[in-house]
Amino acid sequence: MDRIPILRMGECLLVTIQVDMHDQLALALQDDLTSAITKQRTRAVLIDISALVMVDSFIGRMLANISAMSKILDAETVVVGMQPAVAITLVELGLQLPGVRTALNVDQGMKLLRRALRAT
Amino acid sequence: MQLEPRKPAVVRDQVLPLKSDADVVQARQAVRRAAEELKFNLVEQTKIVTAASELARNTLLHGRGGTMKVEFVADLSRRGLRLTFEDRGPGIADISRALQDGFSTADGLGLGLPGARRLMSEFDIQSKLGEGTRVTVVRWKP
Amino acid sequence: MNTPTTIPQMIENHRDSLLADWLQEQATIGSQRLLISDAELRQQCLDFLRLLQEATASGGMKDMNSPQWDRVKELLESVATSRAQQGFSPTEVATFVFSLKKPLFGRLRQDIRDVENLGREIWAGTEMIDRLGLYTAEVYQKARDETISRQQAEMLELSTPVVNLWEGILALPLIGTLDSSRTQVVMETLLQKIVDTGSTVAIIDITGVPTVDTLVAQHLLKTVTAARLMGADCIISGIRPQIAQTIVHLGVELGDVATKASLADAFQLALKRAGLEIRRPAASALAGED
């Protein structure tokens, strides 16, 4: 089964989701990412979803889960680049992802992560 | 006695299987192409595809697989996209409860049905215990 | 009404003369000729007679909601819709159908000698034409309504200016009544502008909005939530006392959305969040100017 690559960039794990994910792929990413956080001892995860044209409740839940799990593993996650149409649809769907940190783009996401890490 | 408007005419239709995760992805992409062809704007397209994704997953998980029908429909002066999800699964015991936010049986968020309903213009669900479920949704384009 | 109607047979036998009489009738009644070419009108009438004949022959006149009548309805829809756009009045549009009565009944009178039979046919024909005429008027109304709402939508797009106050700070001054569809457009415009400019703060100023109902309040909240999902914060400013009261009475939860009395206050908060501040030049620098 194909998997979504997880890159390491300095202190940070970087994931760019570019494919229309099926559910198993989303679950695999959740597993891979949590084990990468522990194995690589990183405290920062950046997930770029700017190429995603749709986030349904399943993918939304995966993002929320990754955020919550990484928090328990003492890492910060930020989700960047959600498209306006996707955001509007998620809100209409009833998903507000309260525990998920977000930023407009990779740059701002990195800034947010650095600030969060300095604070803890 | 007043004349009723014509029933929406089906301009074109296509039936896709929903037997696996990969089928759900295929279904989403077929719906996206159809919505693009009907010139729905980006936000509308996203809403339709997201609703389709939720309903397709429901058909797969709760209905043990089934089909999705994509139809271009037209009435008076509107055109629209109609999606019908059909399965021969166990059926839904309490439909009104299934339409409430947060009600879920398959370890989900319970947003599938109520969420899809909010994203579309029309929503209809028929279900019989032991026989299956059919969900029909329409999004009209003025 | 068990006796089959002779109307389809009659239309078939007299199509040409019916058409001529009908066109003549429309010419004497109305001003339609100014707005539509003879050829176009003739074609519409010809099509209508043909479809009417088919519908009455196959479906009969009893159940006009049966699919056999769909093609007649479809033609009337296209006639009514195109005439709504061409500027016809409702009467003129309905006359298209009603003016068929006289020629149609004239033929029936010629063909049917038996009085009782004739009465029955005329009654059935009247009912049929009345219903088709009303249907046409209704479609016309719908087409007009749609034209109006389309124009409204176009105006909406013009009326939502998103301004860039500072690098990374947007403002959306809303003026006038907010309804569901306008709020929707506003929301989409704002969110797109946030992406385009990379702005992290957006101020939604509702000083110019007279009232807010539950639906609008919820739409505003949805906008704020959607912006947050994208990674931008919203500040709502210019909430009037009445609106504050409404929001509380309606039980709408604003949650942790920042609200400020005026656009100026909101701008200050936005600057602060961006790590900027506005200061007067130091006193010493001004002293020399006295």
Side-chain angles (χ1 to χ4, degrees):
Chain A
M1 194 180 69
D2 44 330
R3 295 186 112 83
I4 293 171
I6 300 171
L7 308 176
R8 168 119 196 185
M9 222 176 92
E11 292 286 280
C12 182
L13 291 181
L14 189 68
V15 179
T16 305
I17 305 176
Q18 274 172 330
V19 291
D20 194 352
M21 280 192 294
H22 57 78
D23 294 358
Q24 291 309 315
L25 194 58
L27 290 176
L29 176 64
Q30 198 170 298
D31 288 347
D32 292 352
L33 204 49
T34 40
S35 51
I37 291 171
T38 357
K39 263 195 218 132
Q40 310 204 20
R41 294 167 185 271
T42 39
R43 294 193 56 215
V45 178
L46 189 139
I47 305 175
D48 179 10
I49 59 164
S50 56
L52 272 193
V53 290
M54 185 219 65
V55 171
D56 61 6
S57 62
F58 195 88
I59 301 173
R61 185 164 58 136
M62 173 205 74
L63 294 173
N65 284 351
I66 291 177
S67 290
M69 291 169 186
S70 61
K71 193 152 263 165
I72 297 172
L73 298 169
D74 191 30
E76 284 293 340
T77 302
V78 60
V79 174
V80 309
M82 186 185 290
Q83 295 297 321
V86 174
I88 291 172
T89 304
L90 263 186
V91 174
E92 206 68 49
L93 191 63
L95 217 61
Q96 310 192 342
L97 306 180
V100 179
R101 274 177 201 268
T102 54
L104 286 175
N105 47 44
V106 176
D107 255 7
Q108 292 187 7
M110 285 296 197
K111 259 188 230 161
L112 193 68
L113 282 175
R114 274 197 290 272
R115 227 180 308 151
L117 290 182
R118 264 202 307 274
T120 51
Chain B
M1 200 179 78
Q2 208 182 359
L3 278 194
E4 290 162 14
R6 277 185 300 140
K7 293 242 168 13
V10 177
V11 182
R12 205 169 86 206
D13 66 350
Q14 179 189 10
V15 179
L16 293 109
L18 292 171
K19 297 274 176 218
S20 68
D21 261 9
D23 285 346
V24 174
V25 176
Q26 295 278 318
R28 282 202 298 248
Q29 286 166 355
V31 171
R32 165 78 64 179
R33 280 193 300 272
E36 274 172 4
E37 200 176 318
L38 276 169
K39 300 213 162 52
F40 279 104
N41 73 27
L42 186 62
V43 173
E44 291 168 325
Q45 281 178 31
T46 310
K47 286 183 177 174
I48 298 168
V49 174
T50 308
S53 181
E54 299 293 340
L55 295 173
R57 182 177 298 109
N58 268 353
T59 301
L60 187 64
L61 296 184
H62 303 295
R64 301 173 196 146
T67 56
M68 174 184 79
K69 185 157 67 171
V70 183
E71 291 169 301
F72 287 33
V73 289
D75 75 357
L76 259 180
S77 48
R78 312 180 289 180
R79 292 193 305 160
L81 193 59
R82 180 163 68 198
L83 307 174
T84 309
F85 298 83
E86 223 166 345
D87 66 56
R88 300 189 170 277
I92 299 169
D94 187 345
I95 290 182
S96 62
R97 214 147 80 87
L99 287 172
Q100 281 166 19
D101 274 333
F103 177 77
S104 170
T105 47
D107 182 34
L109 289 163
L111 289 171
L113 287 179
R117 187 191 205 173
R118 280 193 292 270
L119 293 173
M120 303 294 280
S121 325
E122 283 173 27
F123 182 96
D124 178 67
I125 180 165
Q126 304 288 332
S127 188
K128 268 217 177 106
L129 276 183
E131 289 181 21
T133 305
R134 188 177 64 224
V135 180
T136 311
V137 289
V138 188
R139 180 97 190 178
W140 289 109
K141 191 178 177 342
Chain C
M1 272 208 302
N2 292 324
T3 337
T5 172
T6 58
I7 288 182
Q9 191 57 51
M10 196 270 299
I11 298 178
E12 200 165 1
N13 294 343
H14 301 289
R15 186 170 305 183
D16 294 336
S17 66
L18 254 181
L19 177 67
D21 290 356
W22 186 19
L23 286 171
Q24 182 59 43
E25 185 68 19
Q26 291 186 66
T28 41
I29 296 175
S31 57
Q32 313 208 350
R33 308 217 137 203
L34 296 173
L35 293 161
I36 190 168
S37 76
D38 283 351
E40 194 184 345
L41 181 62
R42 197 187 154 79
Q43 190 57 50
Q44 285 175 347
C45 294
L46 204 60
D47 289 344
F48 182 76
L49 283 178
R50 181 171 49 83
L51 295 174
L52 185 68
Q53 194 269 330
E54 284 169 15
T56 45
S58 66
M61 278 138 64
K62 254 189 133 173
D63 182 13
M64 290 173 65
N65 285 320
S66 66
Q68 277 92 341
W69 283 87
D70 274 2
R71 295 199 58 199
V72 176
K73 289 182 186 174
E74 201 177 338
L75 176 77
L76 289 177
E77 284 159 22
S78 94
V79 167
T81 322
S82 65
R83 293 187 180 198
Q85 282 155 5
Q86 285 161 334
F88 281 79
S89 76
T91 311
E92 284 166 342
V93 172
T95 301
F96 172 74
V97 179
F98 289 131
S99 58
L100 179 59
K101 269 190 189 176
K102 206 166 153 186
L104 190 66
F105 297 167
R107 293 285 155 224
L108 286 175
R109 248 199 321 270
Q110 278 178 5
D111 280 12
I112 307 173
R113 292 279 156 240
D114 174 36
V115 177
E116 200 179 310
N117 235 336
L118 178 65
R120 194 169 52 225
E121 287 284 20
I122 288 188
W123 177 244
T126 300
E127 267 197 326
M128 172 186 76
I129 289 187
D130 285 354
R131 288 164 74 182
L132 293 174
L134 291 174
Y135 186 75
T136 315
E138 224 164 277
V139 175
Y140 168 87
Q141 181 62 39
K142 250 192 198 150
R144 289 292 291 261
D145 289 350
E146 269 157 26
T147 311
I148 293 170
S149 55
R150 200 166 34 244
Q151 285 166 345
Q152 276 175 338
E154 281 161 12
M155 273 165 62
L156 282 181
E157 275 162 39
L158 295 174
S159 66
T160 47
V162 182
V163 285
N164 208 338
L165 286 185
W166 200 267
E167 204 191 311
I169 303 174
L170 292 179
L172 174 70
L174 291 176
I175 294 164
T177 312
L178 286 178
D179 61 14
S180 239
S181 61
R182 179 163 180 222
T183 320
Q184 193 92 18
V185 175
V186 166
M187 177 165 165
E188 288 169 23
T189 318
L190 178 66
L191 297 182
Q192 190 54 51
K193 195 78 184 247
I194 286 175
V195 178
D196 295 346
T197 58
S199 298
T200 47
V201 186
I203 302 169
I204 303 174
D205 182 69
I206 57 170
T207 313
V209 177
T211 54
V212 165
D213 62 17
T214 322
L215 219 61
V216 171
Q218 275 164 356
H219 268 304
L220 281 176
L221 273 179
K222 281 181 191 168
T223 313
V224 175
T225 313
R228 202 198 63 77
L229 283 174
M230 291 164 48
D233 282 328
C234 288
I235 303 170
I236 300 181
S237 70
I239 301 183
R240 299 158 172 232
Q242 304 98 295
I243 293 183
Q245 289 192 13
T246 326
I247 289 176
V248 173
H249 285 313
L250 291 174
V252 178
E253 290 276 346
L254 279 186
D256 52 0
V257 179
T259 53
K260 285 283 164 196
S262 68
L263 181 57
D265 293 342
F267 185 45
Q268 236 171 5
L269 175 65
L271 286 172
K272 202 170 133 194
R273 284 197 184 159
L276 302 162
E277 60 176 328
I278 298 176
R279 259 191 307 184
R280 287 179 201 286
S284 58
L286 286 170
E289 292 174 14
D290 290 326

